[in-house]
């Protein structure tokens, strides 16, 4: 198929995922990975490393969206700076180290882990959230350990970690708006560290004739990043007009469908 046709697919994916991400406040990596896996396979890019390539490209695309989100929340004063710095240091280490693990794992195992994790995300989308005051929040060491764990999981499934970070911060008695803003600030180093890790670990996979740098497919990165950045802001504005619980259920169903598609495609 024509390469330009695939570029249009990446643009369309970015437009759609950016809109949905803005509507429900997620990074979009969980939806991008199975779509990238499908398109890379059809395009003949990646071959045996198609899942790794999808993870790396998705992580690189999140650099732009998480940076914009972080800037917006910093301007509004919605970031707990001390908590963000404390967790970000651990996140950088955990995310980077996990990319080494991912590079050695077979694509089938990565797809299986991704699918199970997305089932957990879908469950959370359907679950009614109830927050209670925590009389025994964790101290600095607990924050650091949790940051390391969130970074590790985020690298393995290529997400910004918001779905893990926000509930944790709320349990640490951080007010919900500051929890969202602090999570956005933590998501940026996750994207940076994860991208660098997938780039380093995928150097053997570099093929500049096909615009592949490490585990990053550059045409998909550029097309997806620009289009998703444009519609994320639209989604944020539209979020005021749609019931968030209905949207979350829709995203949950979509995540299950996309993840199942990726898993069965990889094992097939």
């Amino acid at each position: 198929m024509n390469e330009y046709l695939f570029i249009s697919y990446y643009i369309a994916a970015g437009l759609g995922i950016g809109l949905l991400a803005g509507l429900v406040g997620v990074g979009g990596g969980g939806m991008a990975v199975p779509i990238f896996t499908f398109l890379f396979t059809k395009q003949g890019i990646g071959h045996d490393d198609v899942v790794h390539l999808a993870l790396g490209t998705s992580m690189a695309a999140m650099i732009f969206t998480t940076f914009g989100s972080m800037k917006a929340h910093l301007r509004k004063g919605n970031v707990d700076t001390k908590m963000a710095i404390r967790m970000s240091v651990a996140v950088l280490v955990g995310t980077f180290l996990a990319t080494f693990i991912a590079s050695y794992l077979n694509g089938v195992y990565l797809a299986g882990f991704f699918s199970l994790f997305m089932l957990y995300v879908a469950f959370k989308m359907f679950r009614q959230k109830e927050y209670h005051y925590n009389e025994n929040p964790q101290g600095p060491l607990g924050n650091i350990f949790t940051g390391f764990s969130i970074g590790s999981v985020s690298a393995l499934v290529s997400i910004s970690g918001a779905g893990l970070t926000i509930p944790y911060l709320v349990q640490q008695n951080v007010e919900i708006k500051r929890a969202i803003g602090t999570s956005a600030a933590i998501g940026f180093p996750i994207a940076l560290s994860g991208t660098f890790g997938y780039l380093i670990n995928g150097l053997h996979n570099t093929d500049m004739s096909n615009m592949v740098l490490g585990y990053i497919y550059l045409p998909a990165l550029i097309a997806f990043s620009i289009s998703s950045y444009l519609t994320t802001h639209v989604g944020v504005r539209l979020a005021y007009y749609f019931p968030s619980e209905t949207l979350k259920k829709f995203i949950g169903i979509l995540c299950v469908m996309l993840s199942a598609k990726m898993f069965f495609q990889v094992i097939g």
Side-chain angles (χ1 to χ4, degrees):
M1 296 179 69
N2 193 306
E3 184 175 341
Y4 292 105
L5 180 60
F6 279 100
I7 295 297
S8 69
Y9 290 156
Y10 297 126
I11 292 174
L15 292 172
I17 292 175
L19 183 66
L20 292 173
L23 280 168
V24 295
V26 297
M31 291 177 281
V33 171
I35 291 176
F36 281 156
T37 301
F38 173 75
L39 291 175
F40 292 164
T41 301
K42 291 297 182 183
Q43 195 174 352
I45 300 292
H47 307 295
D48 295 335
D49 292 322
V50 64
V51 177
H52 298 83
L53 193 67
L55 289 168
T57 305
S58 175
M59 187 66 81
M62 284 193 297
I63 289 178
F64 304 95
T65 54
T66 55
F67 180 72
S69 179
M70 178 182 68
K71 280 181 59 180
H73 285 290
L74 281 170
R75 281 198 298 266
K76 293 179 181 179
N78 286 337
V79 177
D80 185 326
T81 308
K82 287 185 178 179
M83 180 69 81
I85 293 174
R86 187 183 300 156
M87 291 187 68
S88 291
V89 173
V91 153
L92 283 166
V93 177
T95 305
F96 183 69
L97 292 180
T99 61
F100 286 82
I101 298 173
S103 68
Y104 286 105
L105 287 176
N106 185 283
V108 174
Y109 297 126
L110 279 173
F113 180 75
F114 180 91
S115 296
L116 289 174
F117 182 81
M118 293 312 295
L119 286 176
Y120 167 71
V121 172
F123 168 75
K124 287 178 61 181
M125 289 291 182
F126 280 92
R127 183 184 176 190
Q128 294 289 336
K129 296 181 180 179
E130 295 183 7
Y131 298 118
H132 304 282
Y133 181 79
N134 183 1
E135 295 183 357
N136 298 297
Q138 291 182 337
L141 286 178
N143 300 151
I144 291 171
F145 176 78
T146 301
F148 180 88
S149 302
I150 290 174
S152 300
V153 174
S154 298
L156 290 173
V157 293
S158 192
I159 59 172
S160 66
L164 299 172
T165 307
I166 294 172
Y168 171 74
L169 292 174
V170 171
Q171 289 175 356
Q172 299 305 296
N173 300 324
V174 178
E175 190 268 330
I176 185 63
K177 287 186 178 180
R178 285 179 68 80
I180 293 172
T182 305
S183 173
I186 295 170
F188 179 60
I190 285 177
L192 274 180
S193 183
T195 299
F196 183 65
Y198 277 112
L199 178 63
I200 294 297
N201 284 286
L203 284 178
H204 67 279
N205 191 60
T206 297
D207 179 8
M208 293 310 295
S209 64
N210 285 315
M211 300 298 287
V212 174
L213 180 61
Y215 285 132
I216 301 169
Y217 181 48
L218 298 177
L221 167 63
I222 296 169
F224 181 90
S225 297
I226 294 174
S227 57
S228 63
Y229 181 81
L230 294 174
T231 53
T232 297
H233 295 283
V234 177
V236 171
R237 294 191 183 97
L238 289 177
Y240 290 99
Y241 304 101
F242 291 90
S244 60
E245 291 304 317
T246 301
L247 287 169
K248 287 179 180 178
K249 289 179 174 61
F250 172 73
I251 295 294
I253 294 171
L254 183 62
C255 285
V256 172
M257 293 173 61
L258 289 172
S259 301
K261 170 68 176 176
M262 184 183 84
F263 180 71
F264 287 115
Q265 178 176 309
V266 171
I267 66 173

